[in-house]
Structure formats: C-alpha cells, structure tokens
Amino acid sequence: MFPDQTFEALIFDWDGTAVPDRRADGSGMRRRVEALCRAGVDVAVVSGTHVDNVDGQLGARPRGPGRLFLCLNRGSEVFEVGAGGPELRWRRAASKGEEAALTRAALRTVAALADLGVPAEIVSRRLNRTKIDLIPEPRWSDPPKARIGELVEALLERLARHGIGSLAEVVDLARREAMAAGVSDPRITSDAKHVEVGLTDKSDSARWILGSLLGQGVGAGLVAIVGDEFGPLGGMPGSDDLMLIPEAERAYALSVGVEPEGVPSGVMHVGGGPEIFLAFLDEQLLRRRHRRVPSVDQDPAWTLAFEGDPKEGRRMREAVLTLAESGIGTRGALEEDGPGATPLTLVAGVFVDGEEGRPRLLAGPGWTSLEVTARRAGRRVLDLRSGVLWRERSGDGAALRTLRFASATRSGVMAMRAEGRADDLAPGEALSAPDGVETVRRGGSHGMEWLRATSSRGGGILAAAHQAVGTVPTGCTLERLVAYAADPRRVPRVQEASGRLREARRVGFDALLREHREAWARRWDDAEVHIEGDPDAELAVRFALFHLMASASDSGEAAMGARGVTGDAYAGHVFWDADVYALPVLAAVRPGAARAMLEYRIRRLPAAQEMAAERDCQGARFPWESADDGLEATPPWASDGHGGLLRLHTGERADHIVADVAWSAVRYAQWTGDTGFLAGPGRQLVTEAARYFASRVQFDGGRGHLYAVIGPDEYHEVVDDNAFTNVMARWTLRTAAGLVEADDFGGSPKDVEGWRHTADALVDGFDEATGLYEQFAGFFGLEPLVVSEVADVPVAADLLLGRDRVARSQVLKQADVLMLHFLVPDEVAAGSLVANLDFYGPRTAHGSSLSPAIHAALLARAGRPEEALSSFRLAARLDLDDLTGTTAGGLHLATMGGLWQALVHGFLGLCLEEGGAHLAPVLPEGWRSVDVTARVRGRRVRLHADASGGDIRYLDDETRTRPHSRRAARGREEREASS
Amino acid sequence: MTVIIAAIDRSSAAEPVIRAATALAPLFDAVVEVVHVREDGTGFPEAVASAAGRALRILDGDPASCLVDEITRPDVVAAVVGARGGPGGPRPAGSTALVVLAQVRKPVIVVPPEWAHAASFERAIVPLDAAAATSAAVEAALGACARAGLEILVVHVFSHDTLPHFWDRPAYEGEEWAREFLSRHCAEPEAHIELRTGAPAREVLDLVKGSGDLIVLAWSQDLSWGRAHLVRETLADSCVPVVFVPVGAAHHLAE
C-alpha cells in the first residue's frame, strides 16, 4: 500500500488527514511526530486553522534533530515547535490597504451571491482572509469529513436552485469580486461548505516548507505530502491540491481521504482517513529502525544517472561517480567490483614509489566492496546536491539497494548502507586490500577492523571500519561506517582512525547523513549556478563544481593533481592545472581549499629555491610537475607513437610555472580579500618568482630575453621569448615590485628597481602595426598552417601530423598568447584580443583538454557568444562524454575549473577591481538568464545577467550594487517597480 | 577429434605450413591433417609430408574450392595455408589463400614461405581497431594464446575515427589511453599494448621482432575495392604466420 521509500520529510494536512476532527485525541499523532523528529525526519503540518487549534490538539514537543513546523492560517504563518513550544518563524503581514480590500471582497461576494438568490454569511475574519459560509444551515453547522460527499451534493442542489452550475462558478465570482475590491492576487479556496478569500493559501505553506527543506539539502523527491482533499470537490480542485506546487513535482503525494471525485494524476489514493495515515507513519518509523537504505531526490537538474554497466565505459563511470571529500576520493565502482573495475580510494598528496622510483598516488584500503550475486548494475544516481551515490537494481534474484557518501562534516569518514534479499547480498569484509600495494597490514578488535597501506616514501593510508548487519522482512540490511587517516610523511596510527570511527558510530548513520546533506546545502549556497534555458550547461557546471569542491581539503595543504582523487592517471602530480585553472574557482566558492592549495606551494618553496640554485638562478623555480617533495617529477621520456621514445623537455623548460604560482597567489588574495596573505606567507610566492625571472632574463642590447623555454603550447618546444612566459614574467616582476614598495617587506629598494628595469626591458613580441603578439621568436616564419586544412578540431595534431611537422608549423596545441588575455588582460595591449583571437584561433588544434574553456571565455569577451558556447560545450562534455578517451583514469579538473571561469569571466564578464567588481555580460541567445553565487572578499554575492544586462547583489545584507549598464539599470527599475 | 588442416602445395611454403600447423595444434586442441590438391604430380608434397612424419591426403579439383570444402567439414576447427606460391606458379601469389580466407568462416592461418621458426610460438601480436566485433572475434584466440604461455601484444594504429581529440601530456596520456583501450577490448590481464600512428600494416609489421611471433588478425572477409588493406598488405609482406579470424563467427579453441 505504501511506497518502498524512506522519506526525509513529511508534509501533511491536519483536519481529516492526521485527525478526524478538531475534537479527536491527538496523543497518537503526538507520539509519532516526536518519534519521527527523534529519528531525524522533518515534519510539517499544513492547515487553514490557527496555532492554538493545532498545537492544542497535537501538543508535540520534539527535541530534534528533525524539525516540526506548523504552517497555519492557510499559508500565512509558520511556527517551529521545539521543546518549549511553538515559535513564530514567519508571518505574512497584510498592509492596511490589503486588510480593507479583503473586507470589501467578502462583502461584495456575499452581496453578489445574494443577488443571485444564494444566502451566504461572513462567518469569520482570520489572518489575511475572510471566510464565507455557503450553506449556513444548522444541519450543516459542523459536518465531519466523512460526510463530505453528502455536503457537496447538498451544496450543489442549493446552488442549482439559483442557476449556479458548480462550486467553481462561486469561486470565480468570489475572485472577480475580490479583484474588483482591490485584492491584486486573491487566493480563493473552498472546502465545499465555505469559500475563503485571502492573500495566501496552502501553496504558500508548501513553498515555504519545501524551500526550507531545500536549504537543508532535502529535495522534493525525499518528501511525502499527505492529505485528504486532493481531488476536486464540486468542480473545484481540492484544498490539498494547492500543496502540489511545481516545486513539489517529485514529491510523493498520498491521499487518505474519501475523494468522491477521484484524485489528480500523480496522487496515490489509499483512503482510510487518519487511521491509515498513522499506519503510514508507523511504517516510516519501522523503516528507520530497520536501517533501510535512504532514498535520493532524482532531480534531473542535480543528478547524473547511469543504467547498466557496459564494459565500454565502466571505468569512465567509476571516475564520474567518484565521491570525495577533503582530498580523499573513492571511485564509483560497483560494490561487487569485478573484472575491468578500478575501485580505488586515493588520498591527495600521499605518494608511493612507482616505476623507476617516480612517485605515484598510493592506493588506500577499499571500503565499498560487497558480496553480491548476479552482477548487474541496475540504476546508479550521483546526487550533486547532497553528495551521495545511490544505486538500485530490482528483479528476481537481484534486488539490491545501496547508498554511500563521504562525510562533508567529519574528515575521513565514509558511510554506506545496503539492503537486499538474504541470498543476494552478503557483507563480506568491510575493508579490502588495494591491488598492487605491497605493504598492507590488517587488524581489528572490539567489532572494529582496520587495514593500512604504507608507502615506501614514508606515508600511509589507514582505514578503520565497523559494520552492522540486520534482518528485515524483505531480506537483510548492512550499515558500514569507515574512518580514514592518512599522512604523506608518516605511517598513521590506528588510534587516529579508530577515534573518528568511534565518534561516527556515536553520531549514527542517519545523523551523519543529515549533517552531510546540510553541509552540502551550505556549500551550494556559496556556489550556486543557474543557467535559464540551458539545463545541460547548468548541470555540467554543477558537476564541475562538485568535484572541484570535494577534491581539496580546506585546511593544511592540498595537493590537487591533474585528475584529483578521481583516478590514478597522471600519478596525482600537480601541474599548473591546479594553480591557474582550479584554484581561482575555489577562491570564489571554497576559499579555505584555495588557501590550502597555496600552502602546498609555500611548503615547497625551499625545494623550489634549491631547484633555482641548481640552474644558477636566484629565487624559486617550482617544478613543472610536482609530487610530494617539491622536486621535478616530469618523466624525461614518453612514447613517440612509433615504437620509439620522445624526450620531454617540459620539466626543464616550462618556466611559466613560476609565474603561474605567483599569479594564483595574487588571484586568491584579490578574490578573498585576504590582505594578510600577500603581506605574510604568500609574499614569497611572488617575490621569489620575481627573483627567479630577474636572474633568468638575459640582456642583449638593453632588451631582456628568456631563451630556451616552453610555453603553454607544447607543440613548440625550447623556443626563445615565448610571449606568454615573457609577459607573465613581466607581470610577476611588476607585481612583486608593487607589493614590496607598498610595505617595504620581502625585498629591498634595489630589488624593486631591478625588477622594474627587467620588466620594462623584457621583449613581448607585440607588433603595434598588426596588434599581434608573436608567440615566440620566429613563430611567424613557420608554415602558416590552419588546423581546418587538416582536420576538425579538437584534434591531437601531434598524433595526426607527427611532432616534427607540427613543430615546423603554426599549429598550436592550446591557447598560448591568448592565455595572457585570459589571465592578465591588463598586462597586454588594450584592444588586442580580437586580432590575436582571429589569428591564433584558427591555428589552435585544442589538442589539450585545457584549451576549449579558455577560448570560450575569450570568444565571449570578444562579443561572439555563439562561438563561445560551442567551445564551452566542448569543455562541459569533456568528461561526461569521455571526449578524451581517458576519463577512465580520472576527471579533468583543469577543464572543470576553466569551465566555471569561462562562465563567470567570459559570459558574465566579471572583473574584480580595487574595492569593487562589475559585470559585462555577453550571453548566447539560448541563455535567458544566468545566476552565479560566489564569495567575493568574504561576502556572498549573486551575479545575475539576462538580456537586459547584469548586476551584482550582495546577499549578506541585500545591498545591490550599481548595475554595469544602463540596460541593467532599466531592468532594476522594472524590478523595483513591480515589488 | 578436432582437426586442423595443413594445406600444402608444391611451393616452398609447404614445409613451413606443416610446421606452423604442428605448433598451433595445441591451441586448437586438434590433430593435424595434411592435404594437397593434385596439380601435375604429387611427388614434392608427398616428400615434404613424409619428411615431417605426416600422412598426406590427396584431393582432386580446383584448389581453392577443394580447400574450402575440406575446411568446412564440421570436425575442422582451423586451417593453415601458404601465403603465396613461388615465382612461376600457375596462379597469382596469394590468390588461393585469399579465396579461402574470404569464404571460410573459421580461423585460417597463412604462413609465408620464408618463415623459419621451429617448435612453438612466443608472442601473439594482435591489431585491434576499437570495434567491438573485432575484439569479440579474437577473444577466444587470445585466451588460447595466453593459456599456451604466449606473450600478448595488442597494437592499435590510430585511424581517422579513433585518433584522439585530445592528447594532453604524452608521458601519461598514452599510458592511460592504452590502459582504457585494453580494458574495453582485451580481456587478457597480462596483455601489453602499443599505440602507433601511421600506415596500419607498416606499423603492425614493424612490431614483428622474430620468428616466434604470430599475428592474430580479425577481419570482415570483405575484399571489395578499397577494403581489407591490412589483410592484403599483411598477406603480401608478413614474414611470420598470420591467424585470420572472421568477425562474427563462433570459434573453437582449447578451453
């Protein structure tokens, strides 16, 4: 009779649903409501009456963690009930004019009915509404709900005698009279005996409570709405139907009423009145006691769903479905693992010696393995909103349901529940030894087991787990709690994990999940994205933010590898992907994580200074590819595609990494307003970079040069005066000089003078006549090959044409000169974007996954939103469609960071200035509006753009900035006028 | 009892054909049957068979048709033929092999006359094109090779369809792309892979290092104009035996 689902929130009508009438004993309801709240369920009563009536009858005094709300007076009030009784949370306050209009509306309605021969009486004036009795006869003075059918018949007879065909006609009459009386948005409701004219109705209650639940991370799909009057009465929609607002689309709607005219589509009708409703509540409580697997809100705007488990795409899905938190990630492999799966758990920054001693990420103990018969994936859903991975498969001999999450509130804690038929599911060992790890120890005591993988480089990953198995009528249940402890430099002790596990057990799975959902809801408050008109793009950006926010710890240091902790490709090594692509996003949505990423670089300054010294340079030379020790980790060789080896020079020559790190430090400070950072621990990231470039630059006839470097475009190696490197070096020198001049810290006046001199002397390849930057000395003399002559982009042109050919041509791997317009637009010649876009755009093969998002941003800035959207979509679908063929090895975090930056700096045109910010939006035609939430200088802001312009709203104090354009000003005026 | 047919002619490929059949028989769990379609006397083939310690069965009729009929017998699981006749023979080099390959829905191993290896194979080179049908066709063969202790080297030569759109960093991209390719297309856990760019036949043949190599090639049996370049070029230029496995046919291989 009832759905096979455990709800996180219950919204129900009072009279006729929870109790037969207002005189009935409410003690049974009280016990159940308090038990539900104890179990963590949020409960909301929705009624037209007032608080004394409902609380007087219910009398519940819950102590949490679930909340009890009374949404009363037909949508005009919300009370939250705690141990001390009801407290008002919200009230719709009518103005004097509205009060007067309501009175006039009621009088006019009664008069109009009288004119038609229908006697009616105003019987009460409640908060924000008046109530008119349509059948003021003694025998119908207080009819019970069970006689609703008779009441409707009697009413319709009465109306028909006076030529009125239906209750709907009466409601329409009341609406007309109300509007004529000056009520602008009258809410007319009827329970057959009465018509109420008001300012609010149950839809307002539903909207309020669903909004509150969403703020706690509970989507509508986790909510049950129960009533007794969903179906029409006398041609009018039932009063409970008002609760089924569009936001409640995925909620489960249940009617326990008589419903003489049936129920609307989507409402489950079981009848039976309050007795059945109590049985429903009892069933929900039983599900909680039995530790049934929670459900997930399958909101297509927030979820990725996969059916089945085809071999092709299996490992790719594991990466996409990774659950991570604070740099500990577990791939979304099926619980039964199997051939072709790589169910890794990885910890950012914890490495082990790989081939030839090169560090790679250490595989940690696994925690998701179950013994399951009949390998069949079923349906898996990753809910980005609440950070859970849910799975369900059904069918004879194969029924299984699981849900798992990596706690967003308790570092290193993971949790899973599973349920299935007794012959389909067995728990097996809670922890599984990782493949390929030699040093693994296992132990356990007092119901806890632990497993530790240690690294040849000194660190390790330890997991401690407890699992409980239960029996239910449908089979068996399993609950597994796991706590991880990891350290890159020492072997973690069992106590470090066991302590966290003990605490997690004390709190319990349901409470862990509740606080996890709430934490993600708060995260999304700071990182919301809404693209009206393009749900695919919106979901892709949310997907990107989800993984970026989960990939880095927000304390200590965070080593964000190219693929994060979603896979072991790229060995977990850190590239400029982290500094330039990912960090700026986290500075805006999770500043602590951005700071931790910078801490990673700060702690490796000494190693970078050594590397500079080895090159006979001063300052710091960060490695192009970085692992744990801060030394260069770039392998010297790679396969050339013809059975031979290719010498790699990026480790030695990609000097722009030094400027990239400095840039990321400054960008962090700009976004967060963390003025102490650049004045303190972050200063050296800039000044040591300046020292490096100052000592690296060679002078020739008064002009400064950086010889033998590699820029972002790796098709052309070991070139001179790469424009990107030189201009970024110039920017670094000038920025360092400015910082030191401002507070006399981190350098001397002589340093400042030298840096400015070197900066001014550096050649940048700019030709004023053409407006072009030459990518490097001699670039314009190469074969002028345009990519479209050989292939459609994106294309790995080095594989297509061979490395020698691309090196002799003007084909680029990715944005190089154009990266300057993206990162340091004030450092390049004003107005030079279009010329360089037109020149380098057609020459860019986008053979790097880092490239499309940058072009999207710049094309938008150049006023070409449709072209920009095309590049944007490429970046958006890169992992979701596995465009690289390597998503199986991990998600491309740089692309994800670039995607968000393209949206914010490209399409919205956000520019941060001293003390302020402004937008210059350029939206593609299909994007009706864009809203992005972020934190700027510690304040929560909403960036908004639509066809009329853009504006920035500071959400903390509701202050609105001046809009950027006159069009936006008009838009604001229109909005102000309508409120 | 299952049979592997060794079809010998009067060319220098005859002896290598018998040797190859002998080396491959354990993979197919089959016994070797040596046959010859009579043309101008049988002295040479009889001598070759006798030297190999094998009985010889003589067939009469059109060589290609006779061989196809023989190989189609239900007890026959595979056939071994010579790649090409010697100069001066009555048919174009490789023509009989081509007809047999195109018509028989069973593995056919084509042996070049210059193949000089002795007892057993050491390594199977397996070109895969990323089509599911190709991978499925060779799956049983690869399993048999692995059980027989052969090293398995998968090779993928990027085509227009499979050339990656993105190739971020060569040191890692190739490694990960290759790993995923193997995961999707080769069930053998110990298999290695080489990624190549260029002309497929040249790249595949370039990988052959010694006479202990065997090439396992799935194909569609479509010899129409512009198709089966790899098949034609391999037939013409391989110096080691090539196992041609028709796509979509059920194959018997040693469990």
Side-chain angles (χ1 to χ4, degrees), chain A residues 315 570 625 642 813 847 849, chain B residues 167-168 172-173 179-180 197:
Chain A
R315 293 179 64 241
Y570 286 71
E625 191 174 326
H642 296 283
K813 184 177 185 181
S849 61
Chain B
W167 201 249
D168 281 341
Y172 297 105
E173 208 70 15
R179 180 175 166 192
E180 179 61 6
T197 50

Side-chain angles (χ1 to χ4, degrees), chain A residues 71-96:
Chain A
C71 305
L72 304 175
N73 268 315
R74 213 170 284 278
S76 282
E77 285 180 319
V78 177
F79 294 85
E80 183 169 356
V81 185
E87 284 189 23
L88 182 69
R89 286 288 305 277
W90 174 81
R91 173 179 285 145
R92 166 72 160 94
S95 64
K96 284 200 173 122

Side-chain angles (χ1 to χ4, degrees), chain B residues 66-140:
Chain B
C66 282
L67 288 178
V68 169
D69 286 344
E70 275 305 298
I71 298 168
T72 313
R73 282 168 28 204
D75 59 333
V76 172
V77 296
V80 185
V81 301
R84 45 196 173 274
R91 283 166 297 282
S95 64
T96 303
L98 275 177
V99 170
V100 169
L101 282 173
Q103 294 187 24
V104 165
R105 296 288 289 161
K106 297 177 184 177
V108 175
I109 299 90
V110 180
V111 184
E114 64 271 28
W115 183 61
H117 195 67
S120 60
F121 292 101
E122 293 161 5
R123 187 172 72 151
I125 299 169
V126 190
L128 293 180
D129 59 4
T134 306
S135 311
V138 299
E139 186 175 344

